[in-house]
Amino acid sequence: VSRQTGKLQIRVHYPITGNARVDADVADWAHQAVDTFQNTYGEEPDLGVPYELETTYSTTRSTPSVLSIVWKTASYTGGAHGNLDVIPLTYSLISGQRLGLVDIFENVDKALEIMSDASRKELAIRLGGGREDSMIHDGTVPVAENFSALALVPGGVRVYFQPYQVAPWAAGAQRVFIPLEKLAPAGPLRLLWDE
């Protein structure tokens, strides 16, 4: 989807999977992103530079029947720097349904606890020299909102954290890979992954 006016530049790329239900949901998500941006910023005063929205994607497949799409949405609406959002959406290619945490883990609370602990440890090493108290880690508290941005990948899950969620803007968006074996106590639905 591409739209350009004097003060708006919008480019949103999205995949076509060949699954009608998935493709309809993906296209709807992309068009909603465009419409929301245009409706929100189309009436704003002219900055002298355009308001920009650009969305790209990558895909991961943990099995032939499960696909995760990772959207990276960069926008500029004024200020010192732009904004970045990383939004993974995971689909069953059998049913065409979007999958949530309850569809992936038998015990969501245990999965959140495991992902929180693993993320805090990994991010402490990466961002804080190994000291957990040296980093901002409120974004790793074991609540569903903090872990709704995950993609299924071969061998486990990849959790994405937005800029500012766990570290300063300069550190950028963060991601943590958590292997399937670490998630075993949460009773993951193994049918989602290749053995």
Side-chain angles (χ1 to χ4, degrees):
V1 181
S2 182
R3 296 184 188 166
Q4 187 163 347
T5 67
K7 63 181 176 180
L8 290 178
Q9 290 184 2
I10 301 172
R11 292 170 305 282
V12 175
H13 305 271
Y14 61 92
I16 296 174
T17 67
N19 179 302
R21 262 183 98 177
V22 172
D23 289 345
D25 190 69
V26 167
D28 185 53
W29 186 94
H31 285 278
Q32 281 183 13
V34 169
D35 292 343
T36 299
F37 190 82
Q38 186 167 358
N39 293 337
T40 303
Y41 297 104
E43 300 302 318
E44 290 290 315
D46 194 338
L47 294 174
V49 295
Y51 291 89
E52 294 183 60
L53 173 71
E54 180 158 14
T55 298
T56 58
Y57 69 90
S58 60
T59 60
T60 65
R61 270 195 139 138
S62 53
T63 72
S65 60
V66 177
L67 174 74
S68 289
I69 302 168
V70 181
W71 305 90
K72 288 189 179 177
T73 300
S75 62
Y76 181 75
T77 58
H81 55 72
N83 299 303
L84 174 67
D85 289 307
V86 181
I87 304 165
L89 299 178
T90 298
Y91 294 92
S92 164
L93 296 176
I94 295 170
S95 69
Q97 291 182 311
R98 193 184 299 179
L99 303 174
L101 292 173
V102 297
D103 302 308
I104 298 169
F105 301 106
E106 292 172 6
N107 184 336
V108 173
D109 290 336
K110 186 65 176 174
L112 292 172
E113 181 184 312
I114 292 166
M115 290 187 295
S116 176
D117 184 54
S119 296
R120 186 173 288 122
K121 286 177 181 171
E122 171 71 23
L123 293 168
I125 291 166
R126 185 182 314 151
L127 302 170
R131 292 183 34 230
E132 286 189 41
D133 64 345
S134 68
M135 60 171 278
I136 302 166
H137 54 72
D138 289 345
T140 63
V141 171
V143 294
E145 297 79 38
N146 287 342
F147 293 92
S148 59
L150 67 85
L152 301 181
V153 297
V157 300
R158 186 175 297 131
V159 181
Y160 293 86
F161 296 97
Q162 309 305 324
Y164 290 122
Q165 185 177 353
V166 295
W169 171 262
Q174 299 293 314
R175 65 186 194 179
V176 175
F177 171 75
I178 302 171
L180 192 56
E181 53 273 8
K182 268 192 183 174
L183 293 163
L189 302 176
R190 298 182 72 83
L191 62 108
L192 297 177
W193 286 273
D194 285 330
E195 294 296 326

